[in-house]
Amino acid sequence: MNLSDHFTLAEMTISAQGERAGLDNTPGPTEIANLQRVCRLLEDIRGYLRYPIVILSGYRSAPVNRLVGGSKTSAHMDGLAADFICPRYGTPFEVCRLIAMERKFDYDQLIHEHAWVHIGLRNDDKPNRRMNLTKGRSGGYIDGLVGG
């Protein structure tokens, strides 16, 4: 099933760890609708970068999220986040910096996770915060985009 021109439900729900553990990672209708919102944002980012985006993680069921060590409040569980790379454009930091500098992208959280980019949307009627964070080397998050 296509969620947008360049992103499928299969790639937005893949979890090698979850599959190895025999965990179900099937989203419901609400999560699929949320994934479509995320994919619209990813389409805009892909167009701006002018290169394909490789999805590392999208939707995660609660059991899969626990297995991979995700946050207990992870937007991934609602289908409202994606982790990705765009190696043909540059490093995750370069991708984060470009997204943050371009005011047209409406996101709640943009996190430089060092090895990938995390982008998420809100799950309520409040406006997205355009929060920019960097994963700390020893855990936690640092306000702003740090790295290079």
Side-chain angles (χ1 to χ4, degrees):
M1 169 184 184
N2 286 345
L3 296 173
S4 68
D5 287 346
H6 296 99
F7 302 101
T8 67
L9 181 60
E11 73 184 305
M12 294 298 291
T13 59
I14 194 156
S15 172
Q17 285 179 284
E19 287 177 20
R20 281 193 299 275
L23 299 175
D24 182 25
N25 200 42
T26 305
T30 300
E31 291 82 14
I32 291 173
N34 288 342
L35 285 169
Q36 289 172 320
R37 287 179 53 206
V38 170
C39 288
R40 284 192 295 273
L41 174 58
L42 292 172
E43 289 287 355
D44 289 344
I45 292 168
R46 184 186 192 278
Y48 198 76
L49 296 173
R50 297 186 183 160
Y51 292 108
I53 288 173
V54 178
I55 302 299
L56 303 176
S57 181
Y59 171 76
R60 294 185 202 139
S61 65
V64 169
N65 192 62
R66 278 191 300 277
L67 178 70
V68 302
S71 164
K72 291 178 182 178
T73 59
S74 175
H76 286 279
M77 293 188 295
D78 295 315
L80 287 168
D83 297 337
F84 69 93
I85 56 174
C86 186
R88 291 184 59 197
Y89 178 82
T91 67
F93 177 74
E94 291 167 331
V95 172
C96 282
R97 189 174 55 192
L98 181 80
I99 293 169
M101 288 175 29
E102 181 53 53
R103 300 299 299 173
K104 76 178 204 163
F105 299 121
D106 185 29
Y107 57 87
D108 189 54
Q109 286 187 329
L110 175 68
I111 306 175
H112 175 223
E113 298 267 6
H114 301 285
W116 64 83
V117 175
H118 168 94
I119 197 155
L121 300 173
R122 283 191 77 122
N123 194 20
D124 53 30
D125 293 331
K126 296 177 185 171
N128 287 311
R129 298 171 290 179
R130 285 189 54 88
M131 183 183 288
N132 300 316
L133 303 167
T134 299
K135 177 89 174 188
R137 294 287 184 186
S138 58
Y141 293 94
I142 301 164
D143 192 31
L145 298 175
V146 180

